[in-house]
Amino acid sequence: MLIKVPSVANLGLETIKVDIEINLANRGLPGFEIVGLPDKAVDESKERVRTAITSCGIDFPAKKITVNMAPADVPKEGSLYDLPIAVGILSSVLEFPVPDKSLFLGELSFDGGLRHTKGAFLMALFAKEFGFKNLFVPKDSANEAAAIKGIKVYPVENLTQISRHLQKQDEINPVSYKQVSQSAPAPAEFDMKEVLGQEQAKRAMEIAAAGGHNIIMIGSPGSGKTMLARALPGILPPLNEIESLEVTKIYSASGGIPPGGSLISSRQFRAPHHTASLVGLVGGGSKPHPGEISLAHRGVLFLDEFNEFPRQIMEAMRQPLEDGYLAISRSKQRVIYPADFMLVASANPCPCGYAMHPKKNCICNPNQIAKYQKRISGPILDRIDLHISVMPVDTAEFEDNQKNSEFLEASQIIKQRVVLARQKQEKRFKNETIHSNSQMKNSHIKKYCKLSKDVEEILRQASLKFQLSARSYMKMIKVARTIADLDGAEEITISHMAEALQYKPKNYELA
Amino acid sequence: MSLHNEIGKIGENFAKEFLKKQGYRIIEQNYKTKYAEIDLIAEKSAGFFGKKELVFIEVRTKIGENFGSPEDTLNKSKLRKVMQNALAYSAFKKWRGPSRIDAICIVLKADCTISRLTHHENIIGS
């Protein structure tokens, strides 16, 4: 007896259809075999399916069962094939037809229940594109799949329930999408008003958040670099609809959506430690997985102690920083992961950390400092739009500042300005594929950032004096555009450009 | 004869009766090769004018299934032994036609009547 149950395989962010063919033969010793390049997790589904079916009070058929997963040359991985295999076997035992235009996905537990399984969102996208009407997914993953309109998503709790549904004895009601509280913006660790002083750095953070610009902070230990970065999520604008879909895809593929979760609507803040491996940070592996830079897509990648990161990792980020995606080629598979993130880096100026300190003496010799600063390569620094030095806060003023902290701007207020600026950008780029100023290519700059004669003259003089590279030159225009957006101005004026030039790449003059 | 051998003997006789009813002709019972014993060897015509097919049958008998089913006792090494025996017999008799290996698994009740008899055809290959 031959049964066919359709399911899917997720290769990176691409989804292909996989037909699960199940043959129950009368000849031969009873057994259970899976073919079609299963990995260990797929192969072990034999035991889960067998036990789950027995747990539901159904006798496991004493026949020679062979499962084929077509196409046979694509490696199958993960636990999502438990449900389709079990449904196939049950349809032969209980004699019900496998419904048309339906896809199945889910991991079984021994008691016959279904567990949250990654990839439900990707399957729903695939179903919509290729005209599948019904999706059977675990209850915990149903909300994730239901975010896609126009298909019926059946939340399955256990095997008994689905077999009764397919025998038309009981009905499972399809779920509709529910906004979940976890997709509300994650609270930041700090509020901007808790950061005392550092007005220039806060302003730079605001610009970076508004335009999605990369930013690097250099300063002595304890001056508040990490605190500033940790306060950043509080002023980030929410994801728009398209961005939200992109981010949810990546998280669904990597299993980052919690049970019951759904669309991700807040920007992600990723802060990997500097001992992270190259593959962990950038992505890869023999079966390519998304790295931290892809998980930070449309969000923030915060690299604290930037010059402690291995050279190789920093250089590997050069291309995604420019292109916004990463193409991973391995012998078995080629995958493209989007990686359009906002890089926030912080570093000390020298090994002892006090090279820029106004009062404390630096104990490093010039050789050491040069060597330390050389760890961050020029090409990387050139790709960072905003460079700021974070000066230590004078502890004498600290007391006064603390009293005045209620008069400082809260993250909420800054966020409102950022959101307004971002809305302006989205309106501007509504006919383009980009969303923010930092993503502008040269053609966009020509089109949207017309500079008046005076502004161009300032920029020309600055680039001559400071030896700005062609890329930095363009970046300065982009930053000026964001500052103008924050200001609510249509044209870039001299004051906007002058402010942008403050954030130019600089050599850290030693105090 | 110890108890498990006697149970085996009872099972083999049940299997023999079963096969005869199914239209098999029993050729040998407990045929000894230099490796081990073949429980039953039978032959059956496949199709109306079909060639005769030689069938080697391994009989497994258990009283009750509380300590595992008879199918469970057919592990890899047992199957290999059965196959070697079958090949040895075929070579010795210079058999050129088709042949296959079957298993008959019998579960007996405490009073030595059959509670289940399953015939698994062609247990090695396909």
Side-chain angles (χ1 to χ4, degrees):
Chain A
M1 188 166 177
L2 193 77
I3 295 146
K4 223 181 208 180
V5 186
S7 188
V8 294
N10 296 325
L11 311 167
L13 300 183
E14 273 178 52
T15 310
I16 59 161
K17 191 183 169 214
V18 170
D19 276 322
I20 314 285
E21 300 170 339
I22 299 157
N23 183 34
L24 286 95
N26 285 324
R27 301 191 94 189
L29 266 189
F32 200 162
E33 203 83 47
I34 297 181
V35 298
L37 291 187
D39 78 345
K40 192 76 184 147
V42 177
D43 211 42
E44 282 170 353
S45 79
K46 289 190 278 204
E47 300 308 321
R48 287 193 295 273
V49 169
R50 188 196 299 274
T51 316
I53 288 183
T54 323
S55 302
C56 291
I58 298 160
D59 276 337
F60 194 80
K63 289 180 176 173
K64 189 177 169 63
I65 301 171
T66 316
V67 175
N68 177 35
M69 299 182 170
D73 58 345
V74 180
K76 322 291 183 305
E77 54 175 313
S79 52
L80 72 162
Y81 302 110
D82 292 3
L83 182 63
I85 293 173
V87 164
I89 293 173
L90 284 179
S91 87
S92 130
V93 178
L94 303 173
E95 292 172 345
F96 58 79
V98 179
D100 268 357
K101 298 264 168 217
S102 305
L103 292 173
F104 298 82
L105 163 147
E107 178 184 330
L108 285 172
S109 70
F110 270 8
D111 62 1
L114 276 117
R115 288 173 199 276
H116 176 57
T117 313
K118 66 181 183 184
F121 182 75
L122 290 174
M123 186 170 85
L125 277 175
F126 173 83
K128 173 136 199 193
E129 195 178 340
F130 289 91
F132 288 91
K133 293 278 178 290
N134 311 310
L135 289 191
F136 293 89
V137 296
K139 196 179 170 212
D140 283 341
S141 316
N143 202 19
E144 189 182 327
I148 305 295
K149 301 270 170 340
I151 38 172
K152 278 186 187 164
V153 178
Y154 294 94
V156 185
E157 262 179 89
N158 54 47
L159 266 186
T160 321
Q161 194 195 16
I162 191 174
S163 72
R164 287 182 72 80
H165 173 84
L166 295 175
Q167 290 177 87
K168 308 219 158 39
Q169 293 172 342
D170 260 332
E171 279 275 313
I172 306 176
N173 293 324
V175 284
S176 50
Y177 173 58
K178 268 201 297 291
Q179 184 96 32
V180 272
S181 54
Q182 65 89 26
S183 62
E189 260 176 81
F190 299 105
D191 196 286
M192 276 292 179
K193 76 176 173 198
E194 291 174 53
V195 185
L196 306 174
Q198 307 298 12
E199 292 310 321
Q200 197 208 5
K202 279 197 223 171
R203 170 71 178 163
M205 278 292 173
E206 182 182 335
I207 297 167
H213 300 287
N214 301 325
I215 181 168
I216 185 167
M217 296 174 282
I218 298 201
S220 311
S223 54
K225 301 181 296 293
T226 308
M227 201 173 171
L228 277 164
R230 296 270 174 196
L232 183 61
I235 63 167
L236 287 174
L239 291 168
N240 69 25
E241 233 169 90
I242 304 166
E243 290 173 330
S244 172
L245 284 182
E246 289 172 355
V247 176
T248 310
K249 264 171 92 170
I250 300 172
Y251 275 77
S252 179
S254 65
I257 297 180
S262 193
L263 283 178
I264 294 174
S265 62
S266 60
R267 288 180 196 272
Q268 298 296 309
F269 184 85
R270 308 290 302 189
H273 188 243
H274 60 72
T275 50
S277 72
L278 180 69
V279 169
L281 208 89
V282 183
S286 64
K287 287 168 191 158
H289 287 287
E292 288 287 340
I293 63 166
S294 295
L295 295 174
H297 182 59
R298 306 284 185 217
V300 174
L301 181 70
F302 173 45
L303 301 181
D304 209 356
E305 312 302 345
F306 194 41
N307 34 20
E308 298 298 333
F309 278 83
R311 181 99 189 184
Q312 204 192 358
I313 288 182
M314 281 200 236
E315 302 309 311
M317 286 193 315
R318 267 154 68 165
Q319 208 201 341
L321 267 176
E322 198 72 358
D323 302 336
Y325 66 86
L326 181 75
I328 303 171
S329 292
R330 296 290 183 269
S331 59
K332 281 181 190 156
Q333 227 173 318
R334 263 161 294 277
V335 172
I336 289 178
Y337 281 121
D340 196 348
F341 56 96
M342 178 179 149
L343 175 66
V344 177
S346 78
N348 293 131
C350 68
C352 82
Y354 294 104
M356 287 159 59
H357 202 280
K359 290 180 186 145
K360 228 168 173 169
N361 283 334
C362 175
I363 52 163
C364 312
N365 63 38
N367 239 342
Q368 278 178 307
I369 296 176
K371 207 174 155 195
Y372 194 71
Q373 294 193 346
K374 236 169 60 184
R375 286 202 196 163
I376 309 176
S377 72
I380 283 283
L381 283 177
D382 202 44
R383 283 169 169 81
I384 295 175
D385 314 23
L386 301 165
H387 292 242
I388 53 168
S389 355
V390 181
M391 284 301 170
V393 183
D394 200 341
T395 36
E397 293 170 26
F398 208 66
E399 288 283 297
D400 295 342
N401 271 333
Q402 213 141 27
K403 274 178 208 147
N404 294 336
S405 76
E406 59 206 82
F407 300 113
L408 294 174
E409 271 187 316
S411 288
Q412 206 55 39
I413 298 164
I414 303 175
K415 188 176 175 177
Q416 283 169 4
R417 287 201 298 267
V418 169
V419 170
L420 276 179
R422 195 55 84 97
Q423 278 166 357
K424 279 188 87 131
Q425 294 167 39
E426 260 158 33
K427 215 167 130 198
R428 180 182 305 137
F429 301 130
K430 64 176 183 282
N431 296 327
E432 310 275 354
T433 51
I434 59 174
H435 302 283
S436 65
N437 285 339
S438 63
Q439 295 169 314
M440 282 195 285
K441 301 270 179 290
N442 288 0
S443 58
H444 300 127
I445 293 175
K446 227 177 221 169
K447 201 165 154 193
Y448 298 111
C449 307
K450 294 226 168 61
L451 299 179
S452 65
K453 276 252 163 60
D454 306 342
V455 180
E456 218 175 325
E457 181 59 23
I458 285 195
L459 185 56
R460 200 183 60 81
Q461 280 182 12
S463 69
L464 275 179
K465 188 171 175 204
F466 301 120
Q467 291 296 311
L468 294 182
S469 71
R471 188 190 283 127
S472 299
Y473 184 92
M474 289 301 177
K475 294 228 171 217
M476 285 301 110
I477 301 176
K478 291 187 206 172
V479 174
R481 181 67 261 175
T482 305
I483 295 171
D485 286 340
L486 275 170
D487 204 17
E490 289 305 315
E491 296 284 316
I492 300 172
T493 63
I494 293 182
S495 68
H496 298 144
M497 184 53 83
E499 192 185 346
L501 285 170
Q502 286 178 34
Y503 305 117
K504 70 184 186 307
K506 48 193 139 194
N507 294 321
Y508 294 93
E509 61 278 0
L510 309 174
Chain B
M1 230 182 192
S2 61
L3 180 65
H4 71 273
N5 290 12
E6 268 178 57
I7 295 169
K9 199 80 207 156
I10 295 166
E12 275 169 30
N13 287 331
F14 276 129
K16 203 163 128 188
E17 292 306 311
F18 172 81
L19 286 173
K20 274 184 186 161
K21 268 185 215 156
Q22 299 285 314
Y24 289 83
R25 194 169 72 81
I26 308 292
I27 304 173
E28 307 265 8
Q29 185 169 6
N30 295 342
Y31 180 85
K32 286 191 180 64
T33 70
K34 70 177 176 183
Y35 303 105
E37 228 180 50
I38 303 175
D39 289 341
L40 286 168
I41 302 171
E43 65 176 19
K44 193 187 187 183
S45 324
F48 193 69
F49 293 112
K51 264 188 173 173
K52 278 186 177 150
E53 190 174 25
L54 199 60
V55 186
F56 301 93
I57 297 124
E58 173 67 20
V59 184
R60 309 298 281 176
T61 317
K62 290 206 128 205
I63 296 186
E65 277 187 280
N66 293 344
F67 299 97
S69 64
E71 277 88 351
D72 293 340
T73 64
L74 283 167
N75 53 18
K76 248 186 195 149
S77 63
K78 183 70 206 170
L79 289 179
R80 194 165 55 234
K81 212 178 239 175
V82 172
M83 190 159 75
Q84 277 173 346
N85 274 331
L87 288 175
Y89 179 88
S90 305
F92 182 68
K93 298 277 177 185
K94 297 200 166 54
W95 175 260
R96 295 279 142 90
S99 65
R100 66 165 206 254
I101 298 170
D102 287 6
I104 292 185
C105 297
I106 302 172
V107 180
L108 295 177
K109 289 177 197 152
D111 59 356
C112 284
T113 53
I114 296 178
S115 90
R116 172 168 84 86
L117 187 151
T118 323
H119 185 188
H120 299 290
E121 289 182 19
N122 206 2
I123 58 172
I124 295 171
S126 89

